[in-house]
């Protein structure tokens, strides 16, 4: 029986009377790839902010495995094993791809450690493995500023992976990508599910229905349906509220 990785129980946030997220509950199992689907303004990013501690909730609880992480500081949640990639990538543009990953994987915040002193064989092997995973091994010595948009997205995902999170939150990971880049991104995301749990916000319907184990649909801050891709595709309430089709 699969273990629970992330539990969201009645989570809400109230901005001066406006409930951007309203009584959201979901349970995500270890190794699951859950997609959060919803139109602009549905509350998807706000929900991600609440889970990761960027925004403090007004009610409800968030559990990482069995630990209540509700309203923890962001850095504590990250250290507990929950990592997040934002839609707009943020990398060290003046550094090479490899150096970006070395800095991100450094466990010691000291200056000498970040300059590479004491960077052992196991750490170098980890960087090599991440380079292969994200498909940038041949670009290892390229300055990050000269990467394509898609490659920059993959690099930022690599920065996250080096920190070995057990749960990864991705905010529109294929946004702005070409068709070829999207296909590569989808293949990468599939590889990420090996030993990890993913919660993804995504608008590209082909990506959503091609990747997800389960989908939760958010409308005006509330979950209106959760299920397998087949169940969501056939749900009349989802078709009416999100897909723009009239319910029979």
């Amino acid at each position: 029986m699969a273990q629970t990785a992330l539990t969201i129980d009645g989570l809400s946030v109230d901005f001066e009377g406006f409930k951007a997220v309203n009584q959201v509950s979901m349970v995500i199992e270890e190794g699951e790839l859950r997609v959060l689907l919803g139109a602009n303004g549905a509350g998807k990013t706000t929900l991600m902010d609440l889970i990761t501690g960027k925004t403090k909730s007004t009610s409800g609880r968030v559990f990482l495995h069995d630990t209540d992480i509700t309203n923890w500081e962001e850095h504590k949640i990250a250290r507990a094993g929950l990592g997040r990639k934002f839609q707009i990538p943020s990398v060290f543009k003046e550094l090479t791809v490899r150096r970006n990953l070395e800095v991100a994987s450094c466990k010691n915040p000291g200056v000498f450690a970040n300059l590479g002193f004491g960077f052992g064989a196991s750490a170098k092997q980890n960087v090599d493995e991440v380079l292969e995973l994200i498909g940038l091994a041949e670009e290892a010595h390229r300055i990050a500023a000269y990467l394509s948009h898609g490659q920059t997205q993959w690099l930022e995902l690599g920065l996250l992976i080096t920190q070995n999170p057990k749960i990864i939150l991705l905010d529109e990971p294929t946004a702005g990508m070409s068709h070829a880049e999207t296909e590569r991104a989808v293949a990468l995301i599939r590889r990420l599910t090996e030993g990890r749990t993913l919660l993804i916000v995504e608008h590209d319907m082909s990506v959503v229905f091609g990747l997800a184990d389960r989908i939760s649909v958010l409308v005006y801050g509330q979950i209106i349906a959760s299920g397998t891709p087949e169940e969501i595709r056939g749900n009349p309430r989802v078709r009416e509220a999100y897909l723009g089709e009239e319910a029979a």
Side-chain angles (χ1 to χ4, degrees):
M1 182 176 179
Q3 299 295 311
T4 299
L6 185 68
T7 302
I8 302 165
D9 182 18
L11 201 61
S12 300
V13 65
D14 189 313
F15 297 120
E16 298 182 351
F18 171 67
K19 288 192 174 183
V21 171
N22 188 6
Q23 292 290 313
V24 167
S25 296
M26 67 173 76
V27 176
I28 302 175
E29 297 179 345
E30 285 188 356
E32 180 182 334
L33 196 160
R34 176 73 64 96
V35 172
L36 189 61
L37 185 63
N40 291 333
K44 303 182 302 299
T45 297
T46 302
L47 178 58
M48 299 276 247
D49 290 344
L50 294 173
I51 295 169
T52 57
K54 186 173 187 290
T55 298
K56 306 306 179 188
S57 64
T58 50
S59 64
R61 288 286 182 267
V62 180
F63 293 88
L64 182 60
H65 302 294
D66 295 325
T67 302
D68 187 344
I69 62 169
T70 311
N71 291 340
W72 280 17
E73 296 301 321
E74 289 181 85
H75 69 277
K76 286 186 63 179
I77 292 175
R79 289 174 183 170
L82 195 154
R84 179 182 183 182
K85 181 194 174 302
F86 292 85
Q87 181 179 349
I88 300 174
S90 177
V91 302
F92 304 107
K93 289 187 175 294
E94 70 280 6
L95 301 180
T96 65
V97 169
R98 173 176 286 279
R99 195 75 190 98
N100 264 272
L101 295 172
E102 289 174 348
V103 170
S105 65
C106 187
K107 301 294 188 281
N108 185 341
V111 174
F112 287 106
N114 279 281
L115 288 173
F117 295 102
F119 198 74
S122 62
K124 290 180 180 177
Q125 180 180 352
N126 180 52
V127 168
D128 288 339
E129 290 173 354
V130 173
L131 281 168
E132 290 292 340
L133 177 64
I134 62 177
L136 292 179
E138 295 183 1
E139 310 293 337
H141 300 293
R142 175 173 288 191
I143 299 297
Y146 300 109
L147 297 175
S148 69
H149 172 70
Q151 289 173 327
T152 303
Q153 295 277 13
W154 304 329
L155 174 57
E156 188 182 36
L157 191 51
L159 303 185
L160 190 59
I161 295 168
T162 61
Q163 298 166 43
N164 197 32
K166 297 303 179 185
I167 302 176
I168 297 178
L169 276 58
L170 304 179
D171 195 347
E172 298 190 34
T174 65
M177 290 187 183
S178 67
H179 179 71
E181 288 175 333
T182 296
E183 287 186 339
R184 288 189 60 181
V186 167
L188 170 56
I189 292 169
R190 284 200 180 102
R191 293 197 297 273
L192 287 181
T193 58
E194 298 176 7
R196 301 179 185 89
T197 304
L198 275 73
L199 174 60
I200 301 176
V201 168
E202 182 55 70
H203 281 298
D204 188 321
M205 301 301 284
S206 64
V207 172
V208 170
F209 287 102
L211 271 179
D213 294 320
R214 293 181 65 82
I215 299 169
S216 292
V217 182
L218 194 66
V219 175
Y220 298 126
Q222 294 182 303
I223 298 289
I224 65 165
S226 288
T228 65
E230 292 76 17
E231 291 169 340
I232 294 300
R233 197 189 300 272
N235 187 308
R237 192 177 179 194
V238 173
R239 295 204 308 269
E240 184 177 12
Y242 183 73
L243 301 179
E245 300 176 8
E246 290 294 329

